[in-house]
Structure formats: C-alpha cells, structure tokens
Amino acid sequence: MLVQRIFLSPPFIFAIIWILMLSISMLNISYSFSDEVDVLIFIATLSFLGYFLGYFSLLLFTNKYKSPIRYKNIIHKIDIKKLQGALLASVFFICSILIINFYLDGYPPFFSNLGVETKNYVEYGRMKGVLFALIVFLFLISSLFKTKTVDVLIKLFCFGVLVLYLSRGFVIFTLLSWLFFYLFENKKTISLLKLIFMITCAFIFILILMSVAGEYRTGTASFIKALEIKDSFLDLDPEILWLVSYISMPTINIVELVQYQQYFMGKATVNAMLPGFMNFDSESREFYASILPNEHNTAGTYLKNVVLDFGILGILIYNYLIGIFSYLLFKYSSSSLIKSVFLAELSLLFFADFFLFFPTLFLLFVLILFNKYAFYPINTALN
C-alpha cells in the first residue's frame, strides 16, 4: 500500500520533481545564467498552486458528492493471441520505418561514432514520432509475455533501436515507463527495500546513460565549453554534471522566457502536438531561440510552449489541467500501462513537455486501442 499511495502518486512525483528543479537550478552552474531566484520561485509557486488546486479541488468535489451506489469492478485478463498480434504488428511497423529511413538517409546517427558519415540525430529519419511511440509500446507489452526469453529479446531490440538513433530522451522515458509499470503490477507484493533498490539502480543507470550518451553526441569537453560551466563545478563527475545540467538549464530558460510579453496564442502548443510534416509554426521557435541565455541550451521544461503561447497565465492553467487529469486518470482508469506512461511524463517535466507531444499522444492512442482490443473481462466484484 505504501508503494501505491506514495511512490505511485502523481502529486508526490510532481512535488519531488519540482523540488529538484528548484534546488538544482539555484546552484547556477553556468556563467550564462542570470540570477533571478525570485522569478524562479514565482514560477514554482504558480505551478504548485495550479496543480494542487486542480487535483485536490476535484478530490474534494468527488468525495462530497460521492454516490452511495457501489459499482462493479470489472477484472480484465490479457488475450494472448491478441497480445501476439499487437507485438507482430508493432515489429512490422517499426522495421518498416527503420528500412525506409535507412534507404533515405543511410546509416543511423550511432554509426558516426564509428567513423561512418551520417546525419545527426535531429536531422536523421522520417516518422520518428510514430517510431518512438511504437518502441515504448512494444517495450511495455513485452512484459506481459510469460516467456522471459521473448520479453528480454524484445526489450533488447527496442533498446538497440533507440541507441542507434541516439535518442537518450526516449531511452530514459521508456525505462521510466517500464519501471512504473513493474511497480504497478507488483504493488501488492513488492517490499519497500526492493523498491528503494530498484529506484537507486534506475537512478545510477540514468546517470551513466546521460554521461555516455552525452559523450557520444556532444563530448563532455565540448559540452562544458558550449554551456559555459563555471570553474567551481568542473570537479564534479561527468555523470553528475550532465544530470545537474539536464535539470537546471531548461528551468533557467523558462525564467528568462516569462520576462517577455510576446504571446503566440496556442501556436507553439498545437505545433508540438502534430507530426513533423504538419508543423506550421516557425515564428515561436525563432522567438524562443532569440531570447535564450545560451544558444546551446534549448530545452525549456514542460512549460515552454504554454509560456510562449499564454505567458504566466499559461503556467497556472496548464498545471491546473494536469492536476485534474492526474486525479481523473488515477481515480477512474484501471490501465497500468497508461498510468505508467503518465508518471514517466510527469517525471520528465523538468526537461520537456511530454504531455502535449505528438509521440506520446500517439502512444496514448495506441495504448487505448490495445486496452480495448487485447483485454477481456473475466469476472466482476463489488468495490
């Protein structure tokens, strides 16, 4: 019950991530950062206020008007044949996209580290939003197979594709989604000690992954020079330095952004929700790039697009809506898959907006279809 009520609670994760963002951003590790602590605290206060107002107002409302009727709780079981069908379909589409991209753009970005001439990870490939969504989906549903060999082989395949595309963001997102899914599926039996051990291992692995992937994609020396890391932080291990940078730098960009008053009234948000070939808004991207304290630090937390579109009001409203969705999802949904993906999105709010982002929206669509298609009721029980 401790796992369910605390570690798998959206308000808990939201609060922990924001506390990390605040504390690490205040370290001010780069010479290019402005020291605007008061603005940072103001943004954090608005975010907490909006999120918890949305979450707990709905909680209080539903408790006050709780129906005396006891509804039946339908228990579902996976249909193995349909699970196999979903797996084969996912593998087919993934391999098709990989072949198309190889035909059009040659070897994936990873091979540049082996001396092969290839495009960088941003320019390489088509349909990457669909590809990464299917990779996460396949990684998750492989856990539903009882045969461990199948599970391991599928996960290695998914991990290998993400490495070839040098998509460290989706590697981390995939692993977090799986970790939360595992905890949901084992919440009644997992011990607190094992939970702490798993979270610690996941944290260490992410540290190593950030360092290794950063070295491959950028190089630590180039990263330190480009982002103007202060001399007092150069003694930190590369793994810690990458982590601190990933958490603090996007937050600092939002601190800078809220001080401008040029709004795009939904263009940036809608643009992020569309596949690449449908993108229509370059104006907000150009404006955002022009106000950055450091041109090499472009991430902007989950608030970037709503601040571009609606300013400070966007921070309050967006967090309010996330709080409402958090409550509704965990109150009324029985899908561990969808909940796991949402908690992964919540865990990465310090870096980018995974909520209103085409790959994760497409993933949500696939998961909803899968839940309707592959599960069937086996019995009912009163709540």
Side-chain angles (χ1 to χ4, degrees), residues 215-233:
E215 186 64 39
Y216 268 108
R217 279 176 34 167
T218 309
T220 301
S222 300
F223 153 76
I224 290 172
K225 182 179 179 180
L227 295 181
E228 304 176 41
I229 304 299
K230 290 181 178 178
D231 294 340
S232 55
F233 293 94

Side-chain angles (χ1 to χ4, degrees), residues 84-241:
Q84 293 170 345
L87 182 144
L88 292 174
S90 299
V91 171
F92 171 78
F93 283 113
I94 289 170
C95 290
S96 298
I97 295 173
L98 293 177
I99 293 170
I100 291 170
N101 286 339
F102 180 76
Y103 176 76
L104 294 174
D105 291 338
Y107 288 97
F110 175 82
F111 286 92
S112 63
N113 301 295
L114 305 177
V116 178
E117 185 176 349
T118 183
K119 293 183 177 181
N120 64 42
Y121 66 94
V122 176
E123 298 172 343
Y124 183 86
R126 314 289 196 278
M127 298 180 286
K128 288 189 291 187
V130 173
L131 174 65
F132 294 153
L134 291 177
I135 286 290
V136 179
F137 172 71
L138 187 59
F139 196 96
L140 290 175
I141 67 169
S142 69
S143 302
L144 298 172
F145 282 90
K146 294 182 179 180
T147 308
K148 292 299 178 184
T149 304
V150 174
D151 182 21
V152 172
L153 288 176
I154 293 172
K155 283 181 167 56
L156 287 174
F157 168 73
C158 295
F159 187 77
V161 172
L162 293 175
V163 170
L164 287 176
Y165 277 62
L166 294 182
S167 180
R168 58 187 171 192
F170 267 95
V171 168
I172 295 171
F173 180 81
T174 303
L175 293 175
L176 284 174
S177 298
W178 173 79
L179 176 62
F180 285 123
F181 182 63
Y182 178 86
L183 294 177
F184 273 118
E185 293 298 295
N186 297 277
K187 63 188 176 184
K188 293 182 179 179
T189 58
I190 191 170
S191 66
L192 180 60
L193 185 62
K194 186 176 181 180
L195 171 66
I196 294 173
F197 175 76
M198 289 186 65
I199 292 175
T200 303
C201 289
F203 180 73
I204 293 172
F205 181 79
I206 289 173
L207 280 179
I208 296 172
L209 176 65
M210 284 182 172
S211 179
V212 173
E215 186 64 39
Y216 268 108
R217 279 176 34 167
T218 309
T220 301
S222 300
F223 153 76
I224 290 172
K225 182 179 179 180
L227 295 181
E228 304 176 41
I229 304 299
K230 290 181 178 178
D231 294 340
S232 55
F233 293 94
L234 297 182
D235 292 334
L236 290 175
D237 291 335
E239 296 85 359
I240 302 296
L241 192 57

Side-chain angles (χ1 to χ4, degrees), residues 185-378:
E185 293 298 295
N186 297 277
K187 63 188 176 184
K188 293 182 179 179
T189 58
I190 191 170
S191 66
L192 180 60
L193 185 62
K194 186 176 181 180
L195 171 66
I196 294 173
F197 175 76
M198 289 186 65
I199 292 175
T200 303
C201 289
F203 180 73
I204 293 172
F205 181 79
I206 289 173
L207 280 179
I208 296 172
L209 176 65
M210 284 182 172
S211 179
V212 173
E215 186 64 39
Y216 268 108
R217 279 176 34 167
T218 309
T220 301
S222 300
F223 153 76
I224 290 172
K225 182 179 179 180
L227 295 181
E228 304 176 41
I229 304 299
K230 290 181 178 178
D231 294 340
S232 55
F233 293 94
L234 297 182
D235 292 334
L236 290 175
D237 291 335
E239 296 85 359
I240 302 296
L241 192 57
W242 280 102
L243 179 66
V244 169
S245 302
Y246 264 88
I247 294 177
S248 63
M249 291 184 174
T251 310
I252 297 301
N253 284 342
I254 293 301
V255 171
E256 188 72 23
L257 182 60
V258 297
Q259 299 178 66
Y260 290 82
Q261 295 184 355
Q262 182 170 341
Y263 309 132
F264 296 91
M265 306 309 293
K267 289 182 180 179
T269 302
V270 172
N271 204 59
M273 297 169 64
L274 298 174
F277 70 91
M278 294 180 65
N279 286 171
F280 63 92
D281 173 44
S282 60
E283 187 183 358
S284 67
R285 288 199 301 268
E286 291 169 359
F287 171 75
Y288 178 71
S290 70
I291 60 92
L292 293 175
N294 187 303
E295 63 180 4
H296 301 285
N297 167 31
T298 59
T301 78
Y302 72 115
L303 296 174
K304 184 185 83 172
N305 290 328
V306 294
V307 173
L308 278 169
D309 285 335
F310 307 110
I312 291 173
L313 184 62
I315 297 176
L316 185 64
I317 294 175
Y318 193 38
N319 280 287
Y320 179 79
L321 293 175
I322 294 172
I324 287 178
F325 185 80
S326 296
Y327 178 80
L328 291 175
L329 177 64
F330 279 72
K331 175 69 175 179
Y332 297 109
S333 174
S334 60
S335 173
S336 297
L337 289 166
I338 295 176
K339 290 178 182 178
S340 302
V341 167
F342 178 75
L343 289 185
E345 294 171 349
L346 205 59
S347 300
L348 293 174
L349 56 79
F350 65 86
F351 185 68
D353 185 2
F354 283 87
F355 302 113
L356 299 180
F357 183 41
F358 173 73
T360 47
L361 290 174
F362 184 76
L363 172 60
L364 178 62
F365 171 73
V366 172
L367 287 173
I368 292 173
L369 287 182
F370 179 73
N371 276 287
K372 295 289 185 182
Y373 166 80
F375 289 90
Y376 62 91
I378 55 174

